[in-house]
Amino acid sequence: MSGADDKTTHFGFETVREADKAGKVQGVFNSVASKYDVMNDVMSMGIHRVWKDAMMDWLAPRPGQRLLDVAGGTGDISFRFLERAGHGHATVCDLTEPMLVEGRKRAEAAAMAQSLDWVVGDAMALPFEDNTFDVYTISFGIRNVTRPQEALNEAFRVLKPGGRLMVLEFSQIPNDMMQKVYDLYSFNIIPRMGQMIANDRDSYQYLVESIRKFPDQETFLNMVKQAGFENAKYRNLSMGIACLHSGWKI
């Protein structure tokens, strides 16, 4: 019988030991940290900003709420949340310290310093007490987690009763023909643009492959429910290129 060390998972289209995936993902984000915001523009043709605004519209932040933004990287979601809430607190948690360093350099980080914490941490073993946060967000991060179900379970644990989960992630287009066109763009154009913009084809190749390996909308919805969340729903964005999943800890 194989031991736990022999369990495998996917790193893009490559099969790797589960124990090795986090280090490989960190390698990607260490590599792209300084160009991360440019990378999001490349990956989404600039539409990620519209998607993040749609996320905030559905989330409807309220004054005084405490947000945990996991895989929060350079703080994009936390900044938007604090601006919408008027006042509150956001904790940006990321596995990759260089991403947090880049976030701290942003002008918004200086303006909101009193309302922000930056914490290095693992989505599957969050360094926070139970029932701590009003809102948990993870944006374009959960597909990089070795065991996404464990990340959702942890989200449920750290949220207060009445707390809200919201996940923004690349997803699958329900129309097969449109999906084929999108795949052609993804696999042929994005890695080349990664090479041109960041001199890093391999990281962008991984990011494209990781989107294809991520569960579709209904499968992921069931994972959200399995973690204990109620009133779980999803909304497709841009025909399903991205998707928002929402759930409540009741």
Side-chain angles (χ1 to χ4, degrees), residues 8-214:
T8 60
T9 186
H10 52 81
F11 176 73
F13 290 166
E14 184 185 348
T15 299
V16 299
R17 290 168 63 241
E18 275 197 353
D20 295 338
K21 178 165 180 175
K24 284 180 169 285
V25 169
Q26 272 185 287
V28 168
F29 286 98
N30 281 336
S31 175
V32 302
S34 65
K35 301 264 187 173
Y36 185 67
D37 297 313
V38 177
M39 185 192 78
N40 276 335
D41 283 324
V42 171
M43 296 283 286
S44 72
M45 295 178 282
I47 302 168
H48 72 100
R49 291 184 174 85
V50 176
W51 296 338
K52 287 169 181 172
D53 286 340
M55 183 185 199
M56 288 300 126
D57 289 344
W58 197 10
L59 195 55
R62 297 193 306 278
Q65 286 186 319
R66 293 182 64 85
L67 166 71
L68 175 61
D69 184 24
V70 174
T74 58
D76 238 16
I77 297 301
S78 292
F79 300 147
R80 278 176 165 80
F81 180 90
L82 291 170
E83 283 166 5
R84 294 276 188 118
H87 68 90
H89 193 277
T91 299
V92 185
C93 180
D94 202 287
L95 194 61
T96 310
E97 191 163 16
M99 292 287 288
L100 298 174
V101 170
E102 287 299 318
R104 280 197 199 96
K105 290 179 187 173
R106 292 176 57 166
E108 299 100 321
M112 301 174 182
Q114 299 303 310
S115 305
L116 277 167
D117 288 329
W118 305 82
V119 177
V120 177
D122 184 345
M124 298 188 298
L126 292 169
F128 306 108
E129 299 289 323
D130 298 359
N131 308 314
T132 301
F133 298 96
D134 301 298
V135 182
Y136 172 112
T137 55
I138 184 165
S139 171
F140 304 120
I142 201 159
R143 75 180 190 281
N144 300 311
V145 174
T146 306
R147 294 182 294 279
Q149 187 66 60
E150 289 185 22
L152 292 170
N153 297 345
E154 278 287 271
F156 190 84
R157 179 184 69 78
V158 301
L159 278 169
K160 297 174 184 175
R164 178 92 177 270
L165 164 86
M166 190 158 288
V167 181
L168 172 59
E169 189 51 88
F170 288 109
S171 198
Q172 312 294 329
I173 302 174
N175 181 301
D176 286 346
M177 182 57 72
M178 292 297 294
Q179 183 67 53
K180 282 175 182 163
V181 171
Y182 178 57
D183 281 347
L184 280 170
Y185 163 75
S186 298
F187 286 101
N188 291 298
I189 306 299
I190 290 176
R192 288 181 193 170
M193 291 173 82
Q195 181 64 41
M196 286 165 50
I197 293 166
N199 196 28
D200 186 355
R201 184 187 182 95
D202 290 349
S203 292
Y204 285 72
Q205 183 72 32
Y206 158 71
L207 290 163
V208 170
E209 291 175 2
S210 69
I211 293 168
R212 284 296 145 268
K213 296 297 286 186
F214 192 70

